[in-house]
Amino acid sequence: MAADIRAELRLKVEAMKAKGKRAPHLAAILVGSHGPSEVYVGHKIKACEEVGFTSSKLSYDVTISEADLLEEIDKVNANPEIDGLIVQLPLPEHIKADNLINRIQPEKDVDGFHPLNFGRMVQSLPTHVPATPLGIMEMIKRAGISVVGKHCVVVGRSRIVGSPISILMSRRRFGYPGGATTTLTHRFTPDLAHHTRQADILITAVGKPGLINGDMVKEGVVVIDVGIERVKDPSKKSGFALKGDVDFETVAPKASLITPVPGGVGPMTIAGLLKNTYHAALGDIYTREYHYHD
Ligand code: NAD
């Protein structure tokens, strides 16, 4: 599905260029040398190349001050050649992520983390929807999964995944599935299994490998596993393996559909980011036609 989205975008970019417009341009801020972050930014840049976008990796030393980074964001905001800007998280402790995100011009906030964009998403208005939830909605839509009236249980309430996906699944946003009855569970939820067993659609975004096992789901459940963590695995050359929140071995036999880790939500997140960047370049992010319904 992610490859399909990239192919669709590639055609759209070619059409843009044929009309004499420049290609969409994504910039990514990377602070320090955090291994997984370097890998994630690398994947995003590679995906940009594949669809014909321009990309810029803006790397800064781990010692850069927050004030200097804010100035760098101002420069990108003022640069008409750049359509989208993301700040790769996590950041060093002396820098507050919220301060950087709030400084990004909302039209260029293609991660959809700015409070203005998040608020518009809650109100079902056209906006940049955070990339991972957008990728998940695309996946549900393309797989033809029926959502209206189903019970969707979300595990984890982070601002970048759990909270927004619970909102999107419960509402109806033009062109996307929705209309589920949604339960949002988190670290203070007693008896998690009581909730997960009721799920027609289970979406987990926690970061605890194997948190959900086969006893915690019902037959036929659709499982979307966002979690991705490194666990030691001496059988691998690298010495580690990537694991999701879901114990695939025991859950997959009961599930009607299940996403793998890695190779499931990850590529769809990048596809979501590319879609947002394309719309930022088109300039229709807040003006797209929409129909609000409760
Ligand atoms: P986070 O660390 O910000 O939040 C984790 C959430 O899990 C919290 O809301 C917490 O309340 C909840 N939680 C913790 N323990 C729990 C428990 N025992 N039962 C129920 N809930 C519990 O999370 P995040 O940033 O959303 O990331 C979650 C995972 O998803 C991580 O592994 C991350 O690497 C991964 N992730 C993957 C992608 C992707 O594209 N594939 C994107 C974002 C995050």
Side-chain angles (χ1 to χ4, degrees):
M1 286 180 196
D4 285 348
I5 294 172
R6 293 198 299 271
E8 289 159 19
L9 283 172
R10 194 173 172 86
L11 289 178
K12 286 181 178 171
V13 172
E14 277 165 14
M16 263 177 131
K17 287 186 186 162
K19 282 188 198 153
K21 285 190 168 184
R22 65 163 174 77
H25 183 167
L26 174 70
I29 288 183
L30 186 62
V31 183
S33 51
H34 179 246
S37 294
E38 304 246 12
V39 172
Y40 292 142
V41 169
H43 286 160
K44 290 168 189 175
I45 285 175
K46 191 168 161 269
C48 281
E49 282 165 10
E50 200 184 322
V51 297
F53 287 8
T54 309
S55 61
S56 302
K57 181 169 143 186
L58 310 174
S59 298
Y60 302 98
D61 193 84
V62 70
T63 57
I64 189 170
S65 69
E66 187 178 297
D68 286 349
L69 265 179
L70 289 171
E71 266 183 38
E72 294 299 309
I73 291 176
D74 289 342
K75 282 185 208 159
V76 174
N77 286 341
N79 186 343
E81 302 285 312
I82 299 179
D83 305 295
L85 173 63
I86 58 168
V87 176
Q88 187 66 43
L89 305 177
L91 292 164
E93 277 197 1
H94 66 281
I95 298 166
K96 205 156 181 263
D98 279 356
N99 291 344
L100 303 193
I101 288 160
N102 293 353
R103 191 72 157 239
I104 299 173
Q105 188 186 316
E107 286 85 348
K108 296 191 181 188
D109 164 45
V110 285
D111 257 339
F113 296 163
H114 191 287
L116 181 120
N117 289 326
F118 203 91
R120 290 183 64 95
M121 181 204 68
V122 172
Q123 295 187 331
S124 303
L125 298 171
T127 191
H128 290 305
V129 167
T132 302
L134 181 60
I136 295 172
M137 295 309 282
E138 281 284 342
M139 183 160 32
I140 290 173
K141 179 178 166 180
R142 285 166 192 254
I145 295 164
S146 142
V147 176
V148 175
K150 294 288 160 62
H151 189 179
C152 173
V153 176
V154 178
V155 189
R157 56 165 178 184
S158 71
R159 292 193 291 185
I160 64 170
V161 190
S163 292
I165 197 67
S166 75
I167 291 163
L168 292 168
M169 289 298 278
S170 69
R171 303 197 73 97
R172 285 189 293 166
R173 199 172 142 255
F174 184 60
Y176 283 93
T181 302
T182 306
T183 300
L184 179 57
T185 65
H186 48 76
R187 64 174 80 248
F188 302 121
T189 302
D191 197 0
L192 182 64
H194 165 76
H195 299 280
T196 57
R197 279 190 201 113
Q198 295 174 45
D200 301 310
I201 302 167
L202 178 66
I203 304 177
T204 65
V206 178
K208 292 199 170 152
L211 177 71
I212 309 294
N213 63 47
D215 289 336
M216 296 171 72
V217 297
K218 72 176 179 191
E219 284 291 335
V221 64
V222 171
V223 181
I224 297 170
D225 188 355
V226 182
I228 184 158
E229 297 293 321
R230 285 178 185 215
V231 296
K232 277 191 189 143
D233 185 345
S235 73
K236 294 260 159 51
K237 228 176 144 189
S238 59
F240 68 87
L242 294 171
K243 292 276 178 204
D245 295 330
V246 174
D247 177 36
F248 198 90
E249 306 285 296
T250 56
V251 173
K254 291 177 90 175
S256 58
L257 289 166
I258 182 165
T259 61
V261 176
V265 173
M268 291 304 284
T269 293
I270 296 183
L273 176 69
L274 295 175
K275 276 197 102 160
N276 282 342
T277 305
Y278 170 71
H279 284 290
L282 272 192
D284 70 345
I285 193 67
Y286 299 137
T287 54
R288 273 182 284 174
E289 193 193 344
Y290 75 102
H291 302 273
Y292 172 74
H293 23 218
D294 171 49

